[in-house]
Amino acid sequence: MSNFREIPANELQENACKLIGKDWGLVTVDTKEKVNMMTVSWGGMGIMWNKPVTFTFIRPQRYTFSYLEEGEYFGISFLPQEYRSALALCGKESGRDIDKVKETGLTVVNNEKAPYFAESKVVLICRKMYAQDMDSQSVVDKSVLDCYAPDGSDWHKMYISEIVKVLVKE
C-alpha cells in the first residue's frame, strides 16, 4: 500500500521490547481459505546468523499454529493503541470459532509474501528459519516454572524467523 514505506530492519526506530511486550503484535497467516491472526506479546528481535530476526513463541493449541507450521512466511502487524480492543479479541478468541478479520474490522493487505493490516504502524514480513519446541528440561532458571507451566504442560514452540521486510506507516 502506498501509505507504507519500506526501511532496512536495522533502521527501525521502535523499541522492540515495547512493540512486542507492551503494544503487542498480530501474527498473521494466510490459510488459503482466509486470513487468520493471533495476538503475541512474547518475543524479540535481534541478529542471528548475520540476519535480522524475530523470535516468536506460539502454543501448539492455537488455531494459527498449524498454518504457521505449514507456511514459510508470516506477518507481524503492530497496531496503534486505538486498536487495543482488536488485539484483545485476537488474543482471546479462536479463528476456529469466529472470523477475526470480520470481527475486528481490520483491513487485510495481501501484496506481500504474508498478509498484514492497513491500520498497522509497523509491519514485519518474516520467513521461518528455525523452530524448536520448548520444554521444562531446557529451563535453566527453574523459578519460571512456577509462573509459566506449574503442571509441566502448555509449552510454546519458538520460531526464529528472518525479517525479510519492514514496513512503517508514513
Side-chain angles (χ1 to χ4, degrees):
M1 293 202 102
S2 62
N3 60 345
F4 284 95
R5 172 175 51 94
E6 183 176 353
I7 64 168
N10 66 351
E11 291 182 16
L12 181 61
Q13 297 295 309
E14 299 281 339
N15 177 312
C17 290
K18 181 181 178 299
L19 274 178
I20 296 166
K22 185 172 187 247
D23 294 352
W24 305 342
L26 288 177
V27 167
T28 311
V29 293
D30 186 348
T31 71
K32 304 305 176 220
E33 296 100 37
K34 65 180 180 176
V35 170
N36 192 61
M37 66 279 212
M38 63 170 278
T39 302
V40 291
S41 60
W42 286 13
M45 291 183 235
I47 301 296
M48 186 85 175
W49 301 304
N50 297 321
K51 296 176 186 253
V53 297
T54 183
F55 305 91
T56 313
F57 302 87
I58 310 289
R59 283 188 171 102
Q61 302 91 321
R62 297 298 299 256
Y63 180 65
T64 304
F65 179 83
S66 63
Y67 296 108
L68 189 60
E69 283 284 288
E70 292 172 17
E72 182 178 2
Y73 292 89
F74 63 95
I76 305 177
S77 296
F78 296 98
L79 301 165
Q81 283 301 305
E82 65 252 32
Y83 295 98
R84 194 65 173 188
S85 62
L87 288 160
L89 180 136
C90 292
K92 288 186 236 173
E93 301 292 335
S94 173
R96 286 183 193 96
D97 304 323
I98 66 167
D99 180 339
K100 292 183 185 181
V101 173
K102 181 180 175 187
E103 292 296 320
T104 60
L106 295 173
T107 309
V108 175
V109 179
N110 267 319
N111 63 354
E112 296 294 337
K113 295 181 183 282
Y116 61 96
F117 299 101
E119 294 82 1
S120 303
K121 60 183 179 179
V122 175
V123 173
L124 307 178
I125 303 298
C126 305
R127 184 182 64 81
K128 293 186 311 185
M129 298 172 63
Y130 179 85
Q132 182 172 337
D133 293 324
M134 296 176 69
D135 62 45
S136 62
Q137 290 76 33
S138 299
V139 175
V140 176
D141 178 356
K142 300 299 184 191
S143 70
V144 302
L145 296 175
D146 292 335
C147 64
Y148 174 66
D151 64 354
S153 65
D154 207 25
W155 288 92
H156 290 70
K157 187 167 195 174
M158 175 187 66
Y159 296 91
I160 301 173
S161 305
E162 179 182 9
I163 301 170
V164 296
K165 189 174 278 194
V166 177
L167 302 170
V168 294
K169 184 74 74 151
E170 296 208 285

